[in-house]
Amino acid sequence: MRHARHYIVNGRVQGVGFRFFAERSARAEGLHGWVRNLPDGRVEIHAEGERDSLDRFEHHIGHGPPRARVDSVERTDAAVTGHEIGFTVR
């Protein structure tokens, strides 16, 4: 069953390769969705896939790439759109 989650990642997450890290992590888990920078310095993510894959993805983004500092990850369940194919950096 496909599930969807929306994430807002706070910390030093821009200018450190976080979006590309999230993209690689999502693709490795077979997730669909997107990641983008927000104007206030946070990163926003929409991901769809199997619950276990989303849990592992959430663990990865909670740590981030080596140069990042993740202070918090806000997670909300989202509606599955089914329109997302692949995972993209916006």
Side-chain angles (χ1 to χ4, degrees):
M1 177 182 263
R2 196 168 182 177
H3 299 272
R5 293 184 187 160
H6 184 259
Y7 301 97
I8 300 291
V9 185
N10 298 287
R12 190 177 68 232
V13 292
Q14 289 191 15
V16 294
F18 191 92
R19 289 179 299 154
F20 301 101
F21 170 84
E23 177 191 31
R24 283 190 305 276
S25 297
R27 287 177 185 260
E29 294 296 339
L31 300 177
H32 302 277
W34 49 264
V35 57
R36 68 178 173 188
N37 285 340
L38 294 174
D40 62 5
R42 300 178 300 165
V43 169
E44 180 180 26
I45 303 168
H46 177 84
E48 298 185 11
E50 297 294 322
R51 187 176 310 231
D52 290 343
S53 297
L54 287 165
D55 290 342
R56 287 188 297 270
F57 174 72
E58 190 171 324
H59 175 78
H60 290 296
I61 63 170
H63 292 88
R67 294 181 10 206
R69 185 194 74 245
V70 177
D71 294 335
S72 67
V73 177
E74 301 168 30
R75 178 188 109 180
T76 56
D77 291 329
V80 175
T81 67
H83 299 291
E84 303 295 336
I85 303 299
F87 201 91
T88 60
V89 174
R90 293 185 173 173

